[in-house]
Amino acid sequence: MDASLSRALVRLTQEGDLSSLQSLIHSLGEESVIDQHFGRSGDTLLHYAARHGHLHVLQYLHELGVPLEVCNNDYKRPLHEAACMERLDCVRFLLLRGARVDSLKKADWTPLMMSCTRRTLPVIQELLAHGADVSLKNKDGWSSFHIACREGSAAAVRLLLQHEESAWTSESKTGRTPLHTAALHGREDVVELLLDRCAYRPDQADSCGVTPFMDALRNGHLSVARRLLEKHKACPTAVDRLGARPVHQVAVTGQNDALEFLVKELRVDVNERATALQLSALHYAAKEGHSSTIRTLEELGADLHAQDAKGRTALHMASIGQHAEAVSVLLELGLNNCPDSSGTTPQQLAIKPAVIQAFQSRH
């Protein structure tokens, strides 16, 4: 088909101009559009109509003979499009005409999962009323319940629990629970609901040993972390599989308020070591180049001259990461160019001109 005609068909469908679309299709012949896919995505006109919510166009194309289960290049059906874009009328029409409620697109996403990326309850309700399976998982092991918890709609989470009371027990392929997901994204209302309604174990860890409390803190969600402490008795010194504790994890992500919360309010040892390499929070902050976190740690009483199992100081770590500002801050705070146990000095690790300059400027 001529490219200009293809563009015209797509445009008219997207605009919902049924009269003009009918005229164009009539002139081309109905057979020319029934199996026609457009663009890089391979969408059909039915996909475009469902995505833009033009029910009258959807009805016309269906009557014309365009299959309801037609797939684009990502195996998306029109129902996926309608569910994702919150097109309730189109969702209802497709389901009543026999579209499969649990059809899978690429990465094994169902229409229900797509609808849970939004917050429109009527679409979720419609899919559930037609038998959508809450327990199905995508390729990463995420269920619709995980996705709803990530998006933060307590109403959607409550609806899914009412439909399937065991939905909360779902875990991803890495052992992450919906509580991990809600905590990670700072969804306080959802966390509150999950703690009230579900029987998660305190400090239930994923395959990396990460707890919901760790997820909340390292992403700066202090109110969620407090809730997990108060209602779930989370442990502020739990250890992940690498031996890192929350104080190390928040240093990695540069969450200064979380550091102060742990050290000042929870009395966590700022100089606690992690892993077989005996890294401190200061080592982690320096390696990531978080200059403000280095200063915060110094104010909280961090041992600036602490060495890891290889005799490296935070200055070594800042040099390894090629973080010029962090190097400057550590030199300003009094660290010197002492070698590690292999005889390597921090300055010898400097490669970038700015890092080299940071050392030279202190001499």
Side-chain angles (χ1 to χ4, degrees), residues 37-44 47 51 69-78 80-81 105-106:
H37 294 259
F38 301 86
R40 293 182 180 179
S41 64
D43 287 330
T44 67
H47 286 88
R51 182 183 307 149
E69 292 300 315
V70 65
C71 299
N72 68 7
N73 294 340
D74 287 332
Y75 303 105
K76 269 188 181 181
R77 276 73 163 179
H80 286 98
E81 296 286 1
K105 80 170 192 71
K106 193 174 183 179

Side-chain angles (χ1 to χ4, degrees), residues 261-308:
F261 169 66
L262 286 168
V263 177
K264 290 184 177 180
E265 294 189 38
L266 302 185
R267 304 299 179 184
V268 169
D269 182 1
V270 72
N271 291 306
E272 185 75 49
R273 301 303 184 91
T275 78
L277 290 178
Q278 292 295 294
L279 298 172
S280 68
L282 187 64
H283 283 93
Y284 283 110
K287 186 177 180 180
E288 299 299 324
H290 297 313
S291 301
S292 65
T293 304
I294 292 171
R295 292 190 184 279
T296 298
L297 285 163
E298 188 270 339
E299 294 169 0
L300 292 172
D303 181 0
L304 297 177
H305 301 281
Q307 297 180 348
D308 68 6

